[in-house]
Amino acid sequence: MKDEPITLPLGEPPTKGQMIARFGRDLVTDFDLDDPGFNDKFDETLDFLVRKCPVVHSQVGRGYYLINTQDDVRRSAQDWQTFSSAKGYMPNRPEGMPYLMPEESDPPIHTEWRKVLNPHLSPKVSLSYEQPIRDDVNELIDRFINSGECEFIGEFGALLPGWAFFKNVLGLPIVDLAMLIEGVEEGTFSPDLGTRARHFGNVFAYLEKHLRWRSEQSERDDLIGTILKGVTYDNGEPAPWEHMVSILVDLTFGGIATTTFVMASAIHHLATHPDQRQLLIDNPAMIDNAIEEYARFFPPLVALGRTCTRNVEIAGTEIRAGEFVMLTYAAASRDPRHMEDPGKIDLTRTGIPHSTFGVGWHRCIGSNLARIELSTTIEEWLKRIPEFSVKPGTEPVYVTGYLRSMRKLELVW
Amino acid sequence: MKMKIDEELCTDHGRCAHFAPNVFRLDDDRYNADRGGIVEISAGEEKNATMGLKSCPERAISIVEE
Ligand code: HEM
Ligand code: SF4
């Protein structure tokens, strides 16, 4: 992790030669979220995009644009009439993959679902899960604390969000979590689109089975009960079964595929910055704020897609109706027009205007829960393992597409 | 100091109330309870309220010039 912020002048468009020398490809006309070079030079590329290339295009598959500055991302995300979610959020979506509600819908369908789902993940309800989540944090730490080392992702980071979501929000056992995590990871990152579709299929099938089972039990008013109760669409029809299944799939994706990265990145930062660790140990009240900075700097959702419903011009680039557009939330959160030294992690930074949880009507429904998973993890970890570092000779392993994730982080204490 | 909460832009991030609980409240649907309205801010709360304003990802909160 570089601590030195990159200070590029704003605006000045780069030449093709400069970009190829630096990134191995022309980012403006030939961007690729799945390029290993993006994974390797993640921070540097984002800084480059937000400072110099407000809109770039990718030629991969059916092609897509990326919108990169904070103002453009915010305005586009808020304008759902122009930037529709109804055709999905992933670029080059596998054929035949069912759309996920509420994520891949527009108002009024989207509004109906969010209205009934939101109360289940409100700040108050999420806070009621704080103690059980804290207990789970400690249970996981108990498993490895005496051995003096752990592989953070497999032994903690990938597990806690699943436990938190399944045990508390869904009331589901966690025995099949490993399969679901693999399904979501491979469904997102597998280089082969057919494999991606197959893994997503497994997740759908599993969750549908559970929903079917619940629909045969007596009614309850928990989250799954609310999904089964359904909503009425503006044509007067009840939401179809497939939409209910997809709600559960979408929530599960959100619940298990994202928080791990912020958590692991925060722990990695603390492992490599003893002074920052001490700062939080001495001032636990700062942890909330630190989490916002970690979320800003380590965004698991790099960019989410929309489909243009009319011709628009953004920062001088014309985008035509029907084109696919990604809102690069990750770049928007490091916009130097809105914060000082965005390339620097500063846990004392206040009033952090990041877009890691999205902007507009699709903003993350699970952010309250995610924040509790993050605060309980950092609080308990620093209490129980105040001294720790990265295992010598190892480095964290990352993988990046429209999602960014850490695959491995070896720690010792 | 007075701040205005935009009715259309507020989409329930709850950051305002997190940083300035004495100034901004959330309603049952998690929106800023004063959205569409104006909040009066006492001198002691200006710092918190400004932090809430700056943290709002929607820029739904703005200072009302008097
Ligand atoms: C640090 C953790 C998380 C991050 C960074 C994150 C990020 C995001 C972002 C950026 C969006 C907006 C997508 C868009 O604009 O199209 C979103 C939506 C969503 N998130 Fe999260 N999320 C996190 C945790 C969670 C959790 C724990 C859950 C479930 C409990 C969840 C469930 C969802 C759902 C269902 C949506 C779709 C909402 C809609 O379209 O109305 N997320 N999330
Ligand atoms: S932070 Fe902004 S969007 Fe969120 S509740 Fe407050 S005013 Fe509304």
Side-chain angles (χ1 to χ4, degrees):
Chain A
M1 181 58 53
K2 276 190 304 293
D3 277 335
E4 274 305 297
I6 303 173
T7 43
L8 288 169
L10 286 173
E12 257 170 73
T15 67
K16 206 167 169 154
Q18 283 168 336
M19 285 188 290
I20 291 175
R22 192 154 174 185
F23 299 102
R25 66 193 303 146
D26 174 357
L27 300 185
V28 173
T29 61
D30 184 27
F31 195 83
D32 180 5
L33 284 161
D34 294 316
D35 182 344
F38 182 42
N39 184 48
D40 295 343
K41 295 189 172 179
F42 184 69
D43 296 326
E44 194 181 337
T45 311
L46 291 176
D47 281 331
F48 203 76
L49 291 180
V50 71
R51 285 161 197 262
K52 298 197 160 282
C53 323
V55 177
V56 301
H57 188 246
S58 172
Q59 302 172 23
V60 176
R62 299 185 289 279
Y64 54 87
Y65 290 89
L66 285 102
I67 298 181
N68 303 318
T69 69
Q70 187 170 110
D71 290 335
D72 287 336
V73 165
R74 188 180 64 252
R75 281 193 288 257
S76 309
Q78 289 174 340
D79 179 4
W80 61 267
Q81 285 100 334
T82 306
F83 297 95
S84 163
S85 293
K87 293 271 170 61
Y89 65 74
M90 37 179 115
N92 297 309
R93 185 186 186 80
E95 285 297 324
M97 181 175 167
Y99 289 111
L100 301 178
M101 309 282 139
E103 176 92 63
E104 304 186 307
S105 66
D106 290 329
I109 290 184
H110 177 262
T111 322
E112 290 303 320
W113 275 117
R114 283 293 295 248
K115 233 182 340 203
V116 298
L117 296 172
N118 280 0
H120 293 281
L121 289 155
S122 70
K124 221 177 8 274
V125 171
S126 302
L127 209 58
S128 73
Y129 303 138
E130 182 173 1
Q131 192 56 47
I133 293 174
R134 194 179 294 281
D135 293 344
D136 282 344
V137 167
N138 279 306
E139 186 181 329
L140 287 170
I141 295 177
D142 284 341
R143 292 181 176 182
F144 50 67
I145 187 165
N146 290 331
S147 64
E149 63 177 2
C150 77
E151 193 286 288
F152 183 82
I153 308 298
E155 296 182 66
F156 188 100
L159 299 179
L160 187 76
W163 286 26
F165 182 66
F166 275 71
K167 289 163 74 167
N168 299 299
V169 187
L170 293 188
L172 249 172
I174 48 175
V175 280
D176 299 311
L177 192 59
M179 183 284 278
L180 290 171
I181 292 174
E182 191 196 342
V184 173
E185 278 266 317
E186 289 298 314
T188 308
F189 293 116
S190 172
D192 174 51
L193 292 181
T195 310
R196 285 189 194 183
R198 202 177 64 250
H199 277 281
F200 277 139
N202 292 344
V203 176
F204 266 90
Y206 177 86
L207 292 170
E208 167 156 28
K209 204 167 119 203
H210 182 73
L211 203 60
R212 180 78 62 198
W213 176 79
R214 270 292 304 271
S215 72
E216 291 153 2
Q217 313 298 307
S218 54
E219 271 178 39
R220 280 166 50 194
D221 58 4
D222 62 351
L223 177 62
I224 294 190
T226 298
I227 295 174
L228 285 168
K229 201 162 145 217
V231 296
T232 307
Y233 289 166
D234 56 328
N235 60 5
E237 295 289 321
W241 173 255
E242 308 82 72
H243 286 189
M244 298 181 184
V245 177
S246 80
I247 295 263
L248 192 53
V249 173
D250 197 26
L251 282 163
T252 303
F253 279 8
I256 68 183
T258 49
T259 321
T260 305
F261 179 65
V262 184
M263 196 178 272
S265 303
I267 291 288
H268 177 247
H269 180 254
L270 293 169
T272 49
H273 295 78
D275 56 324
Q276 301 294 297
R277 202 160 68 213
Q278 201 54 47
L279 185 72
L280 296 189
I281 291 173
D282 295 339
N283 307 279
M286 281 180 61
I287 290 178
D288 265 7
N289 197 69
I291 286 169
E292 293 309 303
E293 178 69 347
Y294 285 137
R296 179 187 77 81
F297 203 85
F298 301 110
L301 282 171
V302 177
L304 267 299
R306 304 287 190 262
T307 302
C308 267
T309 58
R310 59 181 178 89
N311 298 352
V312 284
E313 193 192 300
I314 296 177
T317 301
E318 203 200 334
I319 304 181
R320 306 188 68 79
E323 300 270 18
F324 200 77
V325 171
M326 306 288 295
L327 309 175
T328 318
Y329 288 135
S333 294
R334 354 180 12 127
D335 192 330
R337 300 164 192 87
H338 290 283
M339 63 199 88
E340 272 174 40
D341 268 352
K344 186 174 165 220
I345 301 176
D346 176 1
L347 302 185
T348 64
R349 193 191 289 277
T350 55
I352 302 167
H354 69 74
S355 46
T356 290
F357 289 108
V359 184
W361 295 106
H362 289 277
R363 67 159 229 84
C364 183
I365 196 173
S367 59
N368 302 305
L369 184 69
R371 286 183 168 111
I372 289 171
E373 293 167 23
L374 294 167
S375 60
T376 50
T377 294
I378 296 180
E379 284 163 17
E380 297 305 308
W381 190 282
L382 291 180
K383 264 187 237 157
R384 301 196 56 194
I385 313 180
E387 290 290 326
F388 60 105
S389 53
V390 175
K391 187 173 184 173
T394 72
E395 269 185 21
V397 179
Y398 297 91
V399 46
T400 308
Y402 65 87
L403 212 77
R404 183 159 165 89
S405 143
M406 203 193 286
R407 284 272 167 94
K408 210 168 184 189
L409 171 61
E410 301 198 61
L411 300 173
V412 290
W413 51 87
Chain B
M1 186 192 237
K2 285 181 186 165
M3 289 187 186
K4 182 172 158 244
I5 294 100
D6 189 290
E7 166 113 47
E8 293 292 314
L9 291 181
C10 173
T11 33
D12 75 359
H13 292 254
R15 296 287 82 201
C16 51
H18 183 82
F19 289 110
N22 300 328
V23 180
F24 302 116
R25 288 168 308 112
L26 301 183
D27 63 19
D28 287 346
D29 294 327
R30 311 202 298 190
Y31 293 97
N32 188 311
D34 295 298
R35 85 194 155 116
I38 288 178
V39 197
E40 187 87 46
I41 293 143
S42 66
E45 288 289 342
E46 282 185 4
K47 198 164 153 252
N48 290 341
T50 304
M51 184 127 133
L53 174 150
K54 286 209 283 185
S55 308
C56 173
E58 310 288 343
R59 311 218 159 237
I61 308 178
S62 53
I63 295 176
V64 182
E65 303 292 343
E66 286 170 86

